[in-house]
């Protein structure tokens, strides 16, 4: 009986340590993508030995922190209304999704340095699937172009969002203007050739 209790206690302690490390990694890397494992361990209140007992490399720590951020982001995106006019739904997605990218842009820099492009794509699979469905519906309803692959269009959206994060870091774009800039750019890219690009903003669906 005592052995079982001891094992359960050790398991609970390990889970608490892992949670503390991942939380600290998200916070430290979110402020500085070059934050060291020593800084992360210190912020988590554990030693480097404990950190390495759960994560064998910096890449694993970054992966766990990025996974956590994306899981939390997906919970937010699940609340976004993507029904109705696909263009307005896209604007709502960008407004919510942009803030998530803005909050995690330093963490993304760390991920791009430590993780493969394929792994980053896998981590973004949830948000990508959500946009793929929206783009497919927009194409079916005749408001988005059909001459380009859906996967390419989704990649363009995320590339523009990530570029906006870089522009903010460089001081060339104010964060409060990012969602409008992204929406205007993406709607222009998604509009079929020869069709008028819808105006952004306002409550009425663009015509």
């Amino acid at each position: 009986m005592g052995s079982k209790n001891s094992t359960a206690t050790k398991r609970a302690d390990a889970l608490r340590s892992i949670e503390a490390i991942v939380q600290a990694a998200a916070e430290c890397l979110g402020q500085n993508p070059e934050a060291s494992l020593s800084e992360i361990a210190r912020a988590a209140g554990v030693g480097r030995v404990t950190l390495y007992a759960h994560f064998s490399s910096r890449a694993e720590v970054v992966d766990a922190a990025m996974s956590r951020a994306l899981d939390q982001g997906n919970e937010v995106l699940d609340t976004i209304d993507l029904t109705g006019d696909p263009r307005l739904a896209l604007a709502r997605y960008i407004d919510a999704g942009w803030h998530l990218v803005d909050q995690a842009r330093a963490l993304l820099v760390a991920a791009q340095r430590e993780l493969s492009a394929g792994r980053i794509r896998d981590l973004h699979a949830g948000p990508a699937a959500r946009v793929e469905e929206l783009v497919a519906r927009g194409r079916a309803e005749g408001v988005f172009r059909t001459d380009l692959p859906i996967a390419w269009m989704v990649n363009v959206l995320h590339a523009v969002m990530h570029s906006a994060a870089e522009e903010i870091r460089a001081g060339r774009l104010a964060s409060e203007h990012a969602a409008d800039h992204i929406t205007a750019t993406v709607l222009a890219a998604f509009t079929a050739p020869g069709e008028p690009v819808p105006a952004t903003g306002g409550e009425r669906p663009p015509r």
Side-chain angles (χ1 to χ4, degrees), residues 50-205:
T50 298
L51 186 149
Y52 277 112
H54 301 298
F55 300 95
S56 64
S57 67
R58 177 183 172 82
E60 285 191 6
V61 175
V62 172
D63 191 300
M66 193 70 192
S67 297
R68 177 194 179 96
L70 286 168
D71 286 344
Q72 292 175 336
N74 271 322
E75 292 178 2
V76 173
L77 294 176
D78 283 340
T79 68
I80 305 303
D81 177 14
L82 297 182
T83 62
D85 187 298
R87 294 162 295 188
L88 289 180
L90 180 65
R92 290 192 292 271
Y93 175 89
I94 289 172
D95 187 57
W98 155 249
H99 289 297
L100 297 173
V101 171
D102 188 24
Q103 292 164 8
R105 63 182 184 269
L107 179 56
L108 178 62
V109 170
Q112 290 171 331
R113 292 175 180 173
E114 297 288 342
L115 308 179
S116 69
R119 177 54 180 161
I120 292 176
R121 280 195 302 271
D122 290 343
L123 289 171
H124 284 83
R130 189 179 278 102
V131 183
E132 285 172 1
E133 293 177 5
L134 177 57
V135 172
R137 184 166 69 82
R139 286 158 62 112
E141 295 180 17
V143 297
F144 291 156
R145 64 194 305 158
T146 59
D147 59 326
L148 295 174
I150 290 177
W152 173 255
M153 295 170 72
V154 172
N155 184 65
V156 167
L157 168 60
H158 289 145
V160 173
M161 294 174 88
H162 293 159
S163 293
E166 290 299 319
E167 288 298 287
I168 287 176
R169 290 177 62 229
R172 292 187 291 264
L173 176 64
S175 180
E176 62 268 22
H177 297 152
D180 288 342
H181 284 31
I182 295 166
T183 300
T185 302
V186 172
L187 281 177
F190 283 13
T191 299
E195 294 296 320
V197 176
T200 58
E203 296 298 322
R204 295 174 58 83

Side-chain angles (χ1 to χ4, degrees), residues 16-66 68 106-107 110-111 114:
R16 278 194 294 270
S17 292
I18 292 170
E19 173 64 19
I21 292 166
V22 174
Q23 176 67 27
E27 293 174 356
C28 291
L29 294 170
Q31 296 172 359
N32 174 18
E34 297 181 0
S36 68
L37 291 183
S38 293
E39 290 174 303
I40 291 170
R42 188 161 52 250
V46 302
R48 283 175 60 90
V49 172
T50 298
L51 186 149
Y52 277 112
H54 301 298
F55 300 95
S56 64
S57 67
R58 177 183 172 82
E60 285 191 6
V61 175
V62 172
D63 191 300
M66 193 70 192
R68 177 194 179 96
L107 179 56
E114 297 288 342

